[in-house]
C-alpha cells in the first residue's frame, strides 16, 4: 500500500475517491480491485495478507531455494511482519466476546462499536499506522491502543456511539477529546496520534 | 486480611495504597513503561481494596485470580477538575475515595466522581471519563502478579 490518506495532505479525502477506488484511479494493489466498499476492501487486504502468509509457509516448508525471495521482492512475505490480519481477526474475536467477559458485568462491544472500529481500522490500514493492540473496554466498547516508550494514546469506540481519544505521557496531564465517528474526525485523530507517538 | 473494625473507616492517609486488579491482556510496554491500557480503568466508580486492611494479592480472587495487582496512592486520585463541555456549561468534577465494605471484603472501597458536588453515576461527557481514567492509569504501579505475590510490593 502506498496510500496514506490520513497522514498525507496531498491526498484528497473525497468520499467518491475512497469508495470507488477503480474509478478514482487510486487502487494500488490486488486487494483494491477485489471490492468497491471501503470497509470490505480493508478486509480484503487482510485476507490477501493472510493468503500470502499461508502461501509463504507452504513454500517455506517445501523449498529452501524459494525461502529468500520467492516473489522477487514484489511482496513482503515474511510471516508476522504485517500486523493487519491479526488486527482484523482481533475485531472478529471481539464480536464474539462472551457476555460474562468482564467480572464486573460490562457489556461486550455492540454492533455500533464494532462497525465504527472496523472503519477506523480500515483508515489505519490505509495510513499504514498499526495500533499496538485492540482491547475490549470495561467502559463497554472497543479501545485501540498505541504505544511508544512512555507515550500512550488510545481511541475508544463506546457502545453508546461516543468516540473519544487520549494522548498521554507519564508525568503530564492527558490530552483528551471527543470526536465524531466519521472519517474526517477519525482521520484527524490518526494524524494527532501519529505526530504524538 | 486484617481483622476489621466494625464500621466504615472514613480516614484515608494520603500515602495509603489502593489496590486494583488488572487483566494482564490489558497491560503493555516494557520496563518502566509497562502499564495498563485505559480500557481497563472504569469511570465513575472504580473498585479498589484499601491497603490499610488488605495485602496486594487479595484483589486477585475469583475470576481475577490470574490477573495482576496494581496500586495507586490516595493522594494520586485526580484533583478537582473543571471542564467546559459544549456549548457553554461549566461542570466541576471532584473525586473521592470512599470506604465501602462488602461481604467478605472489608477493604473494598471506591473512587467515586462528583459532578458539581453531587454523586455522578454514569459518565458523560467522554472527555471527562477519559481524563479521569488516563490520570489513574498513569499513577498505577505494579504490586504483584498471581505467581509472585511479593514482587513489586
Amino acid at each position: 500500500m502506498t496510500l496514506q490518506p490520513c497522514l498525507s495532505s496531498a491526498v484528497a479525502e473525497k468520499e467518491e475517491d475512497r469508495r470507488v477506488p477503480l474509478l478514482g484511479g487510486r487502487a494500488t494493489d490486488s486487494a483494491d480491485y477485489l471490492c468497491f466498499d471501503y470497509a470490505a476492501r480493508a478486509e480484503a487486504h487482510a485476507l490477501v495478507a493472510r493468503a500470502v502468509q499461508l502461501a509463504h509457509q507452504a513454500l517455506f516448508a517445501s523449498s529452501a531455494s524459494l525461502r529468500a525471495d520467492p516473489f522477487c521482492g514484489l511482496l513482503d512475505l515474511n510471516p508476522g511482519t504485517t500486523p493487519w490480519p491479526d488486527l482484523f481477526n482481533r475485531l472478529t474475536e471481539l464480536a464474539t466476546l462472551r457476555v460474562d467477559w468482564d467480572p464486573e458485568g460490562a457489556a461486550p462491544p455492540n454492533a455500533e462499536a464494532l462497525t465504527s472500529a472496523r472503519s477506523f481500522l480500515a483508515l489505519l490500514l490505509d495510513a499504514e499506522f498499526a495500533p499496538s493492540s485492540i482491547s475490549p473496554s470495561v467502559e463497554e466498547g472497543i479501545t485501540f491502543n498505541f504505544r511508544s516508550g512512555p507515550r500512550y494514546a488510545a481511541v475508544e469506540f463506546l457502545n453508546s456511539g461516543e468516540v473519544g481519544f487520549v494522548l498521554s505521557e507519564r508525568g503530564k496531564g492527558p490530552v483528551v477529546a471527543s470526536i465524531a465517528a466519521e472519517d474526517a474526525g477519525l482521520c484527524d485523530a490518526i494524524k494527532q496520534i501519529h505526530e504524538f507517538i | 486480611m486484617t481483622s476489621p473494625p466494625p464500621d466504615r473507616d472514613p480516614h484515608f492517609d494520603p500515602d495509603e495504597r489502593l489496590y486494583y486488579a488488572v487483566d494482564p491482556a490489558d497491560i503493555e510496554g516494557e520496563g518502566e513503561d509497562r502499564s495498563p491500557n485505559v480500557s481497563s480503568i472504569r469511570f465513575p466508580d472504580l473498585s479498589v481494596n484499601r491497603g490499610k486492611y488488605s495485602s496486594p494479592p487479595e484483589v486477585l480472587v475469583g475470576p481475577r485470580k490470574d490477573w495482576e495487582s496494581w496500586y495507586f496512592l490516595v493522594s494520586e486520585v485526580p484533583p478537582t477538575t473543571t471542564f467546559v463541555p459544549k456549548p457553554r456549561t461549566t461542570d466541576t468534577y471532584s473525586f473521592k475515595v470512599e470506604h465501602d465494605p462488602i461481604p467478605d471484603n472489608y477493604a473494598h472501597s471506591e473512587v467515586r466522581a462528583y459532578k458539581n458536588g453531587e454523586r455522578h453515576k454514569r459518565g458523560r461527557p467522554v472527555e471527562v471519563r477519559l481524563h479521569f481514567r488516563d490520570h489513574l492509569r498513569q499513577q498505577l504501579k505494579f504490586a504483584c502478579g498471581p505467581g509472585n505475590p511479593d514482587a513489586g510490593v
Side-chain angles (χ1 to χ4, degrees):
Chain A
M1 287 287 292
T2 56
L3 288 180
Q4 299 186 33
C6 285
L7 302 179
S8 168
S9 57
V11 179
E13 294 176 355
K14 293 178 181 177
E15 194 71 7
E16 59 270 26
D17 281 354
R18 287 187 296 96
R19 296 203 183 281
V20 191
L22 286 176
L23 297 179
R26 296 171 52 223
T28 55
D29 62 29
S30 58
D32 285 309
Y33 290 94
L34 294 177
C35 187
F36 291 89
D37 177 77
Y38 188 65
R41 182 162 63 89
E43 287 190 1
H45 275 284
L47 288 171
V48 168
R50 178 64 180 149
V52 166
Q53 269 193 356
L54 292 172
H56 183 237
Q57 286 166 5
L59 288 168
F60 205 81
S62 61
S63 172
S65 63
L66 291 172
R67 204 175 294 167
D69 189 10
F71 289 97
C72 306
L74 292 175
L75 295 169
D76 176 7
L77 296 177
N78 243 336
T81 58
T82 174
W84 301 106
D86 286 344
L87 291 169
F88 279 95
N89 287 339
R90 179 62 172 152
L91 287 183
T92 303
E93 285 175 14
L94 296 185
T96 59
L97 208 58
R98 288 163 53 115
V99 174
D100 62 351
W101 74 278
D102 175 53
E104 291 197 33
N110 66 9
E112 183 169 4
L114 283 160
T115 299
S116 297
R118 276 182 192 279
S119 297
F120 186 61
L121 187 56
L123 292 173
L124 290 170
L125 174 67
D126 267 2
E128 295 180 357
F129 182 47
S132 57
S133 68
I134 303 174
S135 48
S137 173
V138 297
E139 285 289 287
E140 303 184 346
I142 296 172
T143 307
F144 288 70
N145 303 291
F146 302 82
R147 283 183 183 259
S148 177
R151 293 186 173 180
Y152 170 80
V155 178
E156 196 162 69
F157 298 88
L158 298 175
N159 288 356
S160 61
E162 297 169 293
V163 185
F165 86 97
V166 59
L167 308 177
S168 172
E169 186 168 3
R170 196 186 317 117
K172 297 179 181 177
V175 174
V176 296
S178 64
I179 52 179
E182 299 166 354
D183 285 0
L186 297 177
C187 272
D188 188 54
I190 291 172
K191 284 178 189 170
Q192 290 192 53
I193 293 170
H194 188 262
E195 288 171 7
F196 177 73
I197 291 287
Chain B
M1 197 172 293
T2 308
S3 296
D7 298 315
R8 296 181 185 202
D9 174 3
H11 177 72
F12 285 85
D13 189 277
D15 292 330
E16 184 173 351
R17 290 182 177 189
L18 301 170
Y19 295 108
Y20 183 62
V22 183
D23 185 344
D26 231 348
I27 301 169
E28 293 184 279
E30 301 291 331
E32 64 178 13
D33 296 324
R34 185 172 183 269
S35 62
N37 291 325
V38 76
S39 47
S40 65
I41 312 291
R42 291 170 204 281
F43 177 90
D45 296 336
L46 185 79
S47 287
V48 294
N49 268 7
R50 295 187 63 168
K52 187 174 182 179
Y53 296 112
S54 67
S55 62
E58 286 179 83
V59 291
L60 308 180
V61 295
R64 302 180 182 87
K65 63 181 171 57
D66 294 324
W67 291 18
E68 294 183 7
S69 179
W70 290 65
Y71 73 93
F72 52 90
L73 304 179
V74 169
S75 59
E76 292 172 331
V77 170
T80 297
T81 306
T82 299
F83 284 88
V84 186
K86 296 170 271 191
R88 286 179 191 161
T89 56
T90 300
D91 291 320
T92 298
Y93 291 83
S94 54
F95 306 92
K96 294 179 185 171
V97 186
E98 298 182 356
H99 190 202
D100 182 28
I102 57 175
D104 301 326
N105 187 5
Y106 182 77
H108 180 262
S109 302
E110 286 189 346
V111 182
R112 293 173 175 163
Y114 288 80
K115 177 182 175 182
N116 301 323
E118 294 190 3
R119 179 89 179 271
H120 187 53
K121 285 302 290 181
R122 194 56 194 161
R124 281 177 181 266
V126 69
E127 298 100 308
V128 177
R129 298 157 74 168
L130 274 172
H131 183 95
F132 168 86
R133 294 164 63 207
D134 190 74
H135 178 95
L136 281 185
R137 188 194 70 78
Q138 285 194 32
Q139 312 307 320
L140 283 168
K141 293 164 277 289
F142 179 71
C144 73
N148 54 344
D150 295 325
V153 177

